């Protein structure tokens, strides 16, 4: 029987979880396929019969997906994956399935996070290719949720070592001064959408550890002044409510090996009358710069309740006549 070996990268995997107590998970795979698995750093070497190598590789792939989804792995999970792979026999994945897996952003607590529309897919691709991406679109298009999912995915894969989520603390018709509590308690409602997204994607105990160690930070935009963020994934949400100077301050925080996403809806600016929006202005300033991209989502990318899309269309129709009348009058 011809013998072979193959090296598989396990970069980004939590090795204690992957290996199991006393490398038990590896021993189960070795026993099932009569092979040998050796781990050196971020590389796994598989040694065995040539026809068994693809089967072992499939098991490793499935186990990695399980860990990415739940953050845990038990021996019975490994045994289940082994049984399923043995039953399948042919380990070649259909082209459609391979493409679908490439589009998966994250295995979260509530299931897969992946682009659901062509606009969201363009957003995802833009973030992979560029260091700074501006995503502009109406409510319900997944701007913030996908940004947080991508940040968590980069953290899990150890592409970055820190996530910073920021929002400008702008009152949307309310006054911060009359809210109870200290400053952080006052701004908590503005930061809550970011917290909610994180709770969807990470186990509560892991999220708490990350926040205690400041691996994940959720802060008002003003708290970022003076910082340099290296090896980080930085997200600015509700960016339409930044002034031009705040936008410049945010963008110039970016350090080495970092990525930034700014999301916002330029039809819902809550700044005081006459104050220009940094998100609107930045579209004229940064066009054509390599490494920076603008993605525009519209009502076709809405993934919330079907009525959200209808509401957006109704508002557009309501404002359209007045805009046309203004053009006629001039």
């Amino acid at each position: 029987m011809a013998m072979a070996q193959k090296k598989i990268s396990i970069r980004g995997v939590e090795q204690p979880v992957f290996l199991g107590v006393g490398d038990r998970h590896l021993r189960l795979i070795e026993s099932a396929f009569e092979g040998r698995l050796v781990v050196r750093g971020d590389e796994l070497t598989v040694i065995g019969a040539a026809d068994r190598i693809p089967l072992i590789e499939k098991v490793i792939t499935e186990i990695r997906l399980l860990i990415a989804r739940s953050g845990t792995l038990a021996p019975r999970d490994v045994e289940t994956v082994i049984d399923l792979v043995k039953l399948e026999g042919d380990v070649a994945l259909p082209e459609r399935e391979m493409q679908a897996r490439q589009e998966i952003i994250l295995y979260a607590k509530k299931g897969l996070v992946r682009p659901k529309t062509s606009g969201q897919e363009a957003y995802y691709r833009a973030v992979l290719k560029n260091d700074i991406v501006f995503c502009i679109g109406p409510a319900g298009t997944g701007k913030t949720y996908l940004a947080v999912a991508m940040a968590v995915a980069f953290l899990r894969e150890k592409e970055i070592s820190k996530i910073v989520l920021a929002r400008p603390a702008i009152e949307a018709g309310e006054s911060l001064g009359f809210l109870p509590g200290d400053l952080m308690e006052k701004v908590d409602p503005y930061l809550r959408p970011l917290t909610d997204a994180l709770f969807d994607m990470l186990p509560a105990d892991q999220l708490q550890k990350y926040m205690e160690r400041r691996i994940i930070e959720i802060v008002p935009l003003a708290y970022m002044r003076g910082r340099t963020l290296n090896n980080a994934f930085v997200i600015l949400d509700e960016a339409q409510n930044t002034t031009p100077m705040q936008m410049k301050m945010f963008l110039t925080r970016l350090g080495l090996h970092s990525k930034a996403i700014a999301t916002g809806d330029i039809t819902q600016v809550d700044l005081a009358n006459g104050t220009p929006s940094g998100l609107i202005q930045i579209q004229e300033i940064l066009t054509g710069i390599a490494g920076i991209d603008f993605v525009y989502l519209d009502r076709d990318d809405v993934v919330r309740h079907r009525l959200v899309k209808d509401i957006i269309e109704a508002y557009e129709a309501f404002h359209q006549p007045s805009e046309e009348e203004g053009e006629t009058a001039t």
Side-chain angles (χ1 to χ4, degrees), residues 217-319:
E217 291 185 62
I218 308 175
V219 297
L221 177 60
Y223 281 41
M224 293 180 63
R225 189 174 298 278
R227 302 180 63 181
T228 300
L229 300 169
N230 294 314
N231 201 33
F233 200 118
V234 193
I235 299 172
L236 173 60
D237 191 34
E238 296 290 330
Q240 76 276 6
N241 287 329
T242 60
T243 65
M245 287 303 297
Q246 287 175 325
M247 178 62 76
K248 180 180 178 182
M249 182 271 288
F250 168 76
L251 294 173
T252 53
R253 300 308 93 202
L254 206 63
L256 298 174
H257 310 298
S258 293
K259 279 185 177 286
I261 300 178
T263 68
D265 179 358
I266 56 177
T267 69
Q268 297 192 42
V269 177
D270 297 315
L271 294 167
N273 291 338
T275 303
S277 166
L279 184 60
I280 293 175
Q281 185 190 78
I282 205 69
Q283 297 172 80
E284 300 178 12
I285 297 174
L286 297 184
T287 54
I289 298 179
I292 299 176
D293 200 3
F294 289 83
V295 178
Y296 297 89
L297 304 181
D298 56 31
R299 59 177 178 268
D300 292 332
D301 298 301
V302 171
V303 292
R304 287 185 187 169
H305 193 288
R306 64 173 183 82
L307 287 177
V308 173
K309 184 182 296 186
D310 294 339
I311 290 168
I312 292 169
E313 291 177 351
Y315 268 93
E316 289 177 352
F318 178 79
H319 290 293

